[in-house]
Amino acid sequence: MAMKRREFFLLCGLGTLGLTVVSKNLINKNSQNANPKTAIAGNVQHQGPLLRFVSVADTGTGDKGQYAVAKAMNEYHQKKPYNLVILAGDNIYNNGEIEKVEAVFERPYQPLLEKGVKFHACLGNHDIRTDNGVPQVNYPKFNMLGRYYTFTRENVQFFALDTNGNADWKNQLIWLDKELNSSKAVWKIVFGHHPIYASGVYGSNANFIKTFTPIFQKYGVQLYINGHEHHYERTKPINGTTYLICGAGAGSRPVGRSPWTEYSTRDLSFAAYDVYADRMEINAIDTSNRVFDRAVIPSN
């Protein structure tokens, strides 16, 4: 039977409406099942790093060099937010006087502190000149849980050391071995004030190489961060550990190169880290916001 023109258009309209309803229902169903973290082959693909943090050292002068680096750190935070700063010693020049903390810490880093960025410090050689550094250990905004301590963020465990000559070395090394042995973290990062490998004024520390490198190799420490030398220097991986100096946080001194040096410069700077499940990306940044060194450290 021949279909009338009016009936034909009516049926077409109903068909189109049905397809629209089915399509809309499918879209709604998929939207309900959608997850911001996209699953690929059973694994979760993260949109960003597990943890982002920065490190800087030898900062506590209150002069224009410190403010220049602090400004760059704040500008980096505006582009790539982070909530952790590793402060690797000599936090208050010249003699660790806690009454200077407002001038050499709170004011320079005020924009970051107001955003909730937490600093974790260790003691440098200048810091222990007043009451052996006790006032700094007790200062809340340095977040020191002791002269040496550990804390964990995401799957990253940090180990802060007292590397000064008068440190309680016997008990500290026993503690470090025990904590590293019991750590379940994928990433293990140790920081202290004094260098192990360095190409600057002080150079490498033969006793530290003998003491620390076997421990780091044994427990798979991927990174050691320090200051004391007022320059930036990153080593090639040495038995699985990268050694990074970020001591140009307020002033700088000349630096050379060694066979194990991957990059070195005296530029005022800080280092930034993006930690993923399988790698750590390092960017070294100067006071003009220039990234002058990049590196990738794989997880062990």
Side-chain angles (χ1 to χ4, degrees), residues 96-98 123 127 130-140 142:
E97 310 96 321
I98 197 65
L123 293 172
D127 300 320
T130 295
D131 195 15
N132 200 26
V134 171
Q136 290 196 39
V137 175
N138 294 332
Y139 175 62
F142 282 164

Side-chain angles (χ1 to χ4, degrees), residues 11-290:
L11 288 175
C12 288
L14 288 173
T16 303
L17 178 63
L19 287 172
T20 301
V21 170
V22 170
S23 299
K24 188 173 183 180
N25 287 339
L26 286 172
I27 291 170
N28 289 338
K29 184 176 179 181
N30 288 337
S31 297
Q32 291 169 2
N33 292 335
N35 192 311
K37 296 178 180 179
T38 306
I40 298 179
N43 296 321
V44 176
Q45 180 186 22
H46 291 275
Q47 301 302 314
L50 301 173
L51 176 67
R52 176 177 292 131
F53 70 98
V54 308
S55 72
V56 68
D58 301 89
T59 56
T61 63
D63 66 14
K64 63 180 182 180
Q66 182 184 12
Y67 273 90
V69 176
K71 181 175 181 287
M73 290 168 62
N74 186 50
E75 290 173 349
Y76 183 76
H77 184 279
Q78 292 171 4
K79 294 183 293 184
K80 295 186 175 182
Y82 57 88
N83 59 13
L84 172 64
V85 177
I86 298 301
L87 194 60
D90 280 359
N91 314 307
I92 303 175
Y93 284 105
N94 280 321
N95 300 305
E97 310 96 321
I98 197 65
E99 59 269 20
K100 291 183 176 180
V101 74
E102 182 180 356
V104 304
F105 175 72
E106 293 178 2
R107 282 206 294 266
Y109 304 114
Q110 181 180 358
L112 294 174
L113 292 168
E114 288 178 346
K115 294 169 185 172
V117 176
K118 182 176 284 191
F119 287 69
H120 275 274
C122 66
L123 293 172
N125 54 296
H126 284 268
D127 300 320
I128 64 171
R129 291 181 180 180
T130 295
D131 195 15
N132 200 26
V134 171
Q136 290 196 39
V137 175
N138 294 332
Y139 175 62
K141 293 181 182 178
F142 282 164
N143 294 290
M144 296 177 66
L145 308 176
R147 303 186 75 85
Y148 49 90
Y149 62 97
T150 183
F151 66 97
T152 301
R153 294 283 192 93
E154 301 300 332
N155 208 4
V156 184
Q157 188 167 358
F158 295 87
F159 306 82
L161 300 179
D162 178 3
T163 57
N164 288 291
N166 66 347
D168 182 4
W169 282 104
K170 179 181 178 182
N171 288 319
Q172 181 173 212
L173 290 174
I174 292 172
W175 167 87
L176 180 62
D177 188 89
K178 180 181 178 182
E179 290 292 336
L180 285 170
N181 184 51
S182 63
S183 176
K184 305 300 182 185
V186 172
W187 293 97
K188 302 175 184 68
I189 298 174
V190 179
F191 67 98
H193 180 63
H194 294 84
I196 298 177
Y197 292 94
S199 305
V201 173
Y202 300 106
S204 299
N205 187 317
N207 288 332
F208 279 11
I209 291 173
K210 182 179 179 181
T211 300
F212 286 116
T213 57
I215 297 175
F216 292 174
Q217 184 176 5
K218 179 180 180 181
Y219 294 115
V221 172
Q222 294 100 337
L223 180 65
Y224 176 76
I225 298 170
N226 67 275
H228 196 54
E229 296 274 20
H230 294 187
H231 65 255
Y232 171 89
E233 185 172 12
R234 177 175 59 84
T235 73
K236 301 171 184 178
I238 301 172
N239 294 324
T241 304
T242 297
Y243 297 82
L244 192 143
I245 299 172
C246 56
S252 69
R253 289 192 292 251
V255 57
R257 290 184 61 85
S258 301
W260 33 258
T261 302
E262 189 68 47
Y263 195 100
S264 64
T265 180
R266 66 176 297 172
D267 292 351
L268 293 174
S269 57
F270 68 97
Y273 312 80
D274 283 354
V275 184
Y276 297 85
D278 61 342
R279 70 192 187 281
M280 181 189 308
E281 298 177 358
I282 302 174
N283 290 291
I285 302 167
D286 66 15
T287 53
S288 64
N289 302 310
R290 176 179 65 100

